[in-house]
């Protein structure tokens, strides 16, 4: 089975790396193309995949084809490949804002389509991906798609009306987490901690806290309360964050992401 990638950027690299690590494919099974020769060469050097000169070459050969291009380039790419894609090919799109209906219209004929919303922690095998499919995708193809996405983290089926929410809650939010880590590290540096050590302590605190939420089954508020000893230091920090409107700011940021995704 040939798995093709049109677009060989970071997210394509995360998917390819996950598949190879989980032995879902071997490098010779994977073909790819990218308008940037340098991007293709990097992917070939990193994973040993086979490169193709044209997007249409990938479209003709692939049994599963991943459209890993930015949303603004989707129409152009689909126009190039729509006549080359075989009827039995399973198409996977990771483009934000491009709905199943929009993609079907651009192809202009029945296709088997999976729409996914992965996130950048996939680069280290800790991704979280929302998946929805059109009516032409069989149960087996749906399960195969989920298995592929789970090769680099967690993946769950969601109705398409929630895919923009997935993009906000897990797709965009790593940027805000990175800002939070950076801010905590800056505070550590201001208090005298070496910067490299401050980043390590802050990042590990976030990583461990997230793991505790996932593995303990406890509500985040309960876990927060466990840290806040009466009269202690942590509750004073919580008070300041509440005064500064942390919760509202986070909710507003994600709401803005959802709205932008719906209008792309």
């Amino acid at each position: 089975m040939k798995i093709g990638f049109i677009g060989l950027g970071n997210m394509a690299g995360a998917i390819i790396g996950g598949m190879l690590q989980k032995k879902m494919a071997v490098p010779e099974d994977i073909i790819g193309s990218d308008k940037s020769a340098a991007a293709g060469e990097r992917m070939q050097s990193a994973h040993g995949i086979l490169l193709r000169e044209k997007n249409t070459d990938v479209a003709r050969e692939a049994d599963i084809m991943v459209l890993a291009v930015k949303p603004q380039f989707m129409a152009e790419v689909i126009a190039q490949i729509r006549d080359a894609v075989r009827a039995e090919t399973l198409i996977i799109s990771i483009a934000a804002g491009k709905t199943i209906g929009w993609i079907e219209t651009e192809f202009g004929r029945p296709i088997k389509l999976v729409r996914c919303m992965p996130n950048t922690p996939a680069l280290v095998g800790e991704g979280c991906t929302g998946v929805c499919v059109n009516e032409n995708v069989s149960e087996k193809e749906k399960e195969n798609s989920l298995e592929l996405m789970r090769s680099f983290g967690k993946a769950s089926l969601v109705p398409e009306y929630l895919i923009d929410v997935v993009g906000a809650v897990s797709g965009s939010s790593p940027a805000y987490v990175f800002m939070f880590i950076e801010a905590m590290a800056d505070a550590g540096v201001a208090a005298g901690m070496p910067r490299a050590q401050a980043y390590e302590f802050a990042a590990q605190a976030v990583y461990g806290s997230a793991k505790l939420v996932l593995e303990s089954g406890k509500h985040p508020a309960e876990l927060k309360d466990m840290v806040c000893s009466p009269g202690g230091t942590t509750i004073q920090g919580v008070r300041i964050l509440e005064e500064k409107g942390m919760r509202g700011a986070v909710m507003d940021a994600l709401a803005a992401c959802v709205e932008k995704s719906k209008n792309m």
Side-chain angles (χ1 to χ4, degrees):
M1 180 174 67
K2 288 289 185 185
I3 304 173
F5 287 79
I6 296 179
L8 293 171
N10 287 335
M11 196 55 67
I15 298 171
I16 291 168
M19 286 192 302
L20 294 176
Q21 186 177 20
K22 294 292 178 68
K23 302 189 186 305
M24 293 181 61
V26 295
E28 294 78 18
D29 292 333
I30 303 171
I31 57 176
S33 61
D34 195 287
K35 65 179 182 179
S36 165
E41 290 167 4
R42 281 194 299 270
M43 202 63 66
Q44 186 177 53
S45 176
H47 298 297
I49 70 168
L50 305 176
L51 297 182
R52 296 293 183 263
E53 184 177 348
K54 298 178 181 178
N55 293 339
T56 49
D57 296 332
V58 175
R60 289 190 187 96
E61 293 182 51
D63 300 300
I64 298 175
M65 183 178 65
V66 182
L67 295 176
V69 298
K70 295 185 183 302
Q72 59 267 35
F73 302 128
M74 281 285 283
E76 176 186 349
V77 169
I78 292 173
Q80 292 171 3
I81 66 172
R82 60 186 163 209
D83 294 329
V85 178
R86 290 178 283 122
E88 64 270 23
T89 298
L90 182 67
I91 301 169
I92 298 176
S93 168
I94 64 172
K98 299 304 183 186
T99 66
I100 286 174
W102 183 91
I103 295 171
E104 289 174 332
T105 298
E106 291 297 305
F107 271 94
R109 61 183 174 86
I111 56 171
K112 296 183 176 187
L113 179 62
V114 178
R115 185 182 175 197
C116 299
M117 186 56 58
N119 64 358
T120 54
L123 292 166
V124 291
E126 295 293 347
C128 188
T129 305
V131 180
C132 54
V133 304
N134 75 353
E135 61 185 8
N136 300 320
V137 175
S138 69
E139 282 298 317
K140 183 177 180 180
E141 289 167 333
K142 181 169 63 176
E143 288 306 313
N144 288 343
S145 300
L146 283 168
E147 184 182 7
L148 190 156
M149 297 301 156
R150 286 168 181 157
S151 71
F152 52 86
K154 297 182 182 297
S156 298
L157 282 172
V158 297
E160 191 179 20
Y161 75 85
L162 286 180
I163 204 77
D164 295 309
V165 182
V166 170
V169 175
S170 66
S172 298
S173 59
Y176 317 138
V177 175
F178 298 146
M179 291 172 68
F180 183 56
I181 291 170
E182 184 181 30
M184 289 197 296
D186 282 348
V189 171
M193 181 178 282
R195 181 162 292 279
Q197 190 175 50
Y199 280 132
E200 181 180 13
F201 272 64
Q204 182 62 35
V206 170
Y207 177 77
S209 300
K211 190 172 183 180
L212 193 56
V213 170
L214 291 171
E215 295 187 3
S216 71
K218 296 181 182 295
H219 192 284
E222 182 180 357
L223 294 171
K224 179 212 71 178
D225 289 349
M226 288 167 57
V227 188
C228 295
S229 303
T233 58
T234 306
I235 194 63
Q236 295 305 313
V238 169
R239 177 177 63 81
I240 296 297
L241 291 174
E242 295 287 15
E243 286 179 359
K244 300 294 184 180
M246 176 184 176
R247 293 172 192 256
V250 171
M251 293 174 70
D252 286 348
L254 268 65
C257 287
V258 172
E259 188 64 24
K260 176 65 176 178
S261 181
K262 287 180 177 179
N263 290 291
M264 289 181 75

